[in-house]
């Protein structure tokens, strides 16, 4: 059974840059997996940041960017702010119309 | 702007069927893919499935881990889509979200606010 992998936790200093990754337990992530990235704060619905690898959702600041880095999808946050402290989830298309979320990364800004 | 609103029961008994409906505004039911996602309390997101039109016919795909318990439908006349999850247990207690694909792409672009569905007798 394929698993989508994410770092469980990460920390970044205010103003710093952080890159979160999203991989597959077997195989490499490519644009054909249509990586999506979401931000979620406690008690709120998730918010879409990135879809189709690197397309920013409407209203998402330019300091959020998506890419493929090596064999993983990546979400880079530049100039981290206090309100970026959230859980971040990726979503990958595994083929045949089946999708899977990663376990999420809890980002701390301190 | 696409807006989605879930509605359903406040509580479901074990072994019964959980039924949810998502009302859509700001989008055509034929132009997007419509998804269901859930999140158990304190845990991560789980993709349940999607429904949409492919070549003028309705197609559905669901998480293999949920087996045949998932049924989805779409009503274009009412601009809504629905989820039925059969034979529920306490493990199905979660916040259930409906969602739609991003404009012209795949995955999830827009989210409903979510509705908590406890499974308990």
């Amino acid at each position: 059974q394929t698993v989508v992998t994410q770092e469980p936790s990460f920390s970044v200093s205010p103003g710093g840059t952080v890159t979160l990754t999203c991989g597959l337990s077997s195989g490499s992530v490519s644009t054909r997996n249509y990586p999506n990235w979401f931000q979620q704060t406690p008690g709120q619905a998730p918010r879409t940041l990135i879809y189709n690898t690197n397309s920013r959702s409407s209203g998402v600041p330019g300091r959020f960017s998506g890419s493929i880095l090596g064999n993983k999808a990546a979400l880079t946050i530049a100039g981290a702010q206090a309100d970026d402290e959230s859980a971040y989830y990726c979503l990958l298309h595994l083929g045949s119309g089946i999708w899977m979320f990663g376990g999420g990364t809890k980002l701390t800004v301190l | 702007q696409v807006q989605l609103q879930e509605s359903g029961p406040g509580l479901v008994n074990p072994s019964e069927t959980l039924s949810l409906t998502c009302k859509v505004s700001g989008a055509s039911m034929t132009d997007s893919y419509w998804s269901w996602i859930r999140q158990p309390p304190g845990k991560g997101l789980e993709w349940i499935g999607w429904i949409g039109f492919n070549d003028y016919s309705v197609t559905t795909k669901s998480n293999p881990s949920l087996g045949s318990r998932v049924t989805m439908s779409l009503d274009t006349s009412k601009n809504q889509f629905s989820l039925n999850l059969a034979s529920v247990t306490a493990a199905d207690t979660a916040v259930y979200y409906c969602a739609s694909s991003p404009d012209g792409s795949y995955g999830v672009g827009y989210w409903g606010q979510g509705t908590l569905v406890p499974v308990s007798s």
Side-chain angles (χ1 to χ4, degrees):
Chain A
Q1 160 111 10
T2 299
V3 175
V4 177
T5 62
Q6 294 186 250
E7 299 88 357
S9 63
F10 228 113
S11 64
V12 62
S13 299
T17 296
V18 62
T19 296
L20 311 181
T21 67
C22 176
L24 287 169
S25 58
S26 55
S28 298
V29 177
S30 74
T31 56
R32 290 191 299 270
N33 297 112
Y34 301 100
N36 284 220
W37 289 94
F38 311 98
Q39 178 190 48
Q40 187 182 34
T41 53
Q44 300 296 314
R47 168 197 183 195
T48 300
L49 297 175
I50 301 287
Y51 61 93
N52 198 19
T53 305
N54 55 16
S55 297
R56 258 187 305 276
S57 192
S58 177
V60 174
R63 55 197 187 80
F64 290 90
S65 62
S67 64
I68 299 292
L69 284 181
N71 62 351
K72 295 183 178 182
L75 173 71
T76 299
I77 307 171
Q81 301 177 1
D83 60 5
D84 294 334
E85 187 161 294
S86 304
Y88 291 85
Y89 294 92
C90 66
L91 174 67
L92 297 179
H93 180 238
L94 302 185
S96 302
I98 303 299
W99 293 78
M100 183 177 287
F101 282 97
T105 297
K106 183 175 180 181
L107 180 67
T108 301
V109 180
L110 52 75
Chain B
Q1 180 78 350
V2 180
Q3 293 187 314
L4 305 120
Q5 179 66 60
E6 305 88 351
S7 61
L11 182 70
V12 181
N13 292 319
S15 80
E16 295 189 345
T17 296
L18 181 159
S19 296
L20 293 171
T21 296
C22 183
K23 183 70 174 177
V24 177
S25 59
S28 167
M29 300 298 293
T30 59
D31 290 345
S32 297
Y33 295 96
W34 309 97
S35 296
W36 290 98
I37 293 154
R38 70 180 182 178
Q39 186 171 36
K43 296 188 177 181
L45 300 169
E46 180 181 25
W47 177 75
I48 296 173
W50 62 263
I51 183 169
F53 283 90
N54 267 345
D55 296 329
Y56 307 106
S57 64
V58 175
T59 298
T60 63
K61 289 288 184 182
S62 59
N63 192 327
S65 71
L66 296 173
S68 59
R69 296 199 295 136
V70 172
T71 306
M72 291 173 286
S73 61
L74 190 152
D75 188 336
T76 56
S77 67
K78 295 182 178 179
N79 250 48
Q80 64 187 33
F81 60 105
S82 300
L83 168 72
N84 283 342
L85 181 64
S87 305
V88 297
T89 70
D92 294 308
T93 293
V95 175
Y96 285 77
Y97 297 99
C98 62
S100 73
S101 52
D103 298 331
S105 189
Y106 303 105
V108 176
Y110 304 94
W111 295 77
Q113 66 183 28
T115 185
L116 175 63
V117 183
V119 176
S120 175
S121 54

